[in-house]
Amino acid sequence: MLFLIVFMAVPVGLLAFYTFFKRGRFGGVVFEPTLDNWAKLFEPLYVGVIAQSIGLALVVTLLALLIGYPMAYAIAGLSPKWRTVALIAVVLPFWTNFLIRTYAWILLLNNAGWVNQWLQGLGITDEPISMLYTPQAIVVGLLYMYLPLMVLPLYASLQQLDPSLREAATNLGATPWRAFRTITLPLSVPGALTGSIFVFVPAMSNFVIPELIGGGKTIMIGNLVRDQFFEARDWPFGATLALLLTFLLVLVIVAQAAVSRRLTEGPRRG
């Protein structure tokens, strides 16, 4: 409880406190009550940035789910020895510095990078494709960074499935696809929801990858919060954006918990 008060309630309370005051002429806070910071959130510019952040985070989460599920399913079916090797390979990128991995993608995606060299070497393109500093490059960077956060919860969920359920379905005449669709897939939904939260939350608030791989051309809400504090020196509006981001992420986590609880309690009631 003390941990939550010190590291959660107090910072969020301070953010909420600053949102109701004005920006100082040279930065800081002028303690004159106002609701301008909240009204500013509804300006088209900021609504667009928030919508763009949510959209990119959703795309990254969906792609991570589509790629991560087969990976987790394949790992769960390996022998214990190779399963350990596969899991180490999945978490191995986390042992490398975040910035180094980001700069590695800059080297890969630029016009003279390996991807363009490979495409031209195979004759797929005649000239370099401009991939860096685009929204698609941001999606690739975020997907690479957070894919393990989707694979690991899915693997844990699939690993806990009782093999006798699939064997019983097979013995009763179900095809492998039907056994997967009616048993494996529904029972792995809680793992997919947890992985989706693990990917969506950091993807939405990330500001390093949009800055370095996106070249600062695609503004996400994380970049906006940083700019308000360190460049515009508008602390009250920066606090308002940060509080909105916190509220959105808590809302997503609460929704995920409610859906998971409903999925868990459903079979028990049945």
Side-chain angles (χ1 to χ4, degrees):
M1 180 60 74
L2 181 62
F3 180 86
L4 288 176
I5 292 174
V6 173
F7 294 103
M8 184 67 185
V10 172
V12 172
L14 282 174
L15 284 177
F17 178 72
Y18 282 139
T19 62
F20 295 104
F21 297 103
K22 295 181 178 178
R23 171 185 182 272
R25 185 175 179 183
F26 301 105
V29 182
V30 175
F31 292 99
E32 295 178 9
T34 179
L35 293 176
D36 289 349
N37 297 311
W38 290 100
K40 201 173 174 181
L41 284 179
F42 296 97
E43 293 181 6
L45 172 64
Y46 302 112
V47 171
V49 171
I50 294 167
Q52 181 171 256
S53 302
I54 294 174
L56 283 174
L58 284 175
V59 170
V60 172
T61 304
L62 181 61
L63 290 174
L65 182 60
L66 292 175
I67 298 172
Y69 198 100
M71 288 177 63
Y73 188 81
I75 293 172
L78 293 174
S79 64
K81 175 187 173 183
W82 289 108
R83 194 182 304 156
T84 303
V85 173
L87 289 174
I88 291 175
V90 169
V91 300
L92 197 59
F94 279 114
W95 298 349
T96 309
N97 184 277
F98 186 90
L99 284 177
I100 292 175
R101 283 181 282 154
T102 304
Y103 280 113
W105 274 105
I106 294 176
L107 294 176
L108 288 171
L109 296 177
N110 66 39
N111 288 350
W114 288 0
V115 175
N116 268 313
Q117 290 180 18
W118 178 71
L119 291 174
Q120 292 177 76
L122 292 176
I124 298 175
T125 60
D126 296 328
E127 54 186 23
I129 300 175
S130 182
M131 291 180 281
L132 201 59
Y133 307 141
T134 62
Q136 292 81 2
I138 296 175
V139 170
V140 170
L142 291 172
L143 181 61
Y144 169 74
M145 295 295 173
Y146 300 126
L147 181 60
L149 299 181
M150 176 66 80
V151 174
L152 295 178
L154 275 170
Y155 163 75
S157 179
L158 291 167
Q159 184 63 21
Q160 292 175 357
L161 294 183
D162 188 351
S164 63
L165 294 174
R166 281 174 288 190
E167 291 175 6
T170 304
N171 293 336
L172 291 173
T175 61
W177 166 245
R178 187 172 183 183
F180 171 79
R181 182 169 53 83
T182 57
I183 295 176
T184 305
L185 190 60
L187 292 177
S188 60
V189 168
L193 288 173
T194 303
S196 298
I197 291 297
F198 284 176
V199 173
F200 181 83
V201 169
M204 185 177 170
S205 56
N206 190 289
F207 63 90
V208 175
I209 291 176
E211 185 70 30
L212 296 179
I213 297 181
K217 295 179 180 177
T218 302
I219 304 297
M220 294 182 69
I221 192 168
N223 303 83
L224 201 56
V225 172
R226 184 210 54 188
D227 291 345
Q228 295 304 315
F229 279 102
F230 296 107
E231 294 184 10
R233 299 183 66 80
D234 191 347
W235 291 12
F237 187 55
T240 308
L241 288 167
L243 193 64
L244 174 69
L245 180 60
T246 305
F247 174 74
L248 289 174
L249 298 182
V250 169
L251 194 65
V252 170
I253 292 171
V254 169
Q256 181 268 336
V259 173
S260 294
R261 186 168 56 250
R262 189 166 182 176
L263 289 173
T264 305
E265 292 177 352
R268 292 178 184 170
R269 290 176 183 170

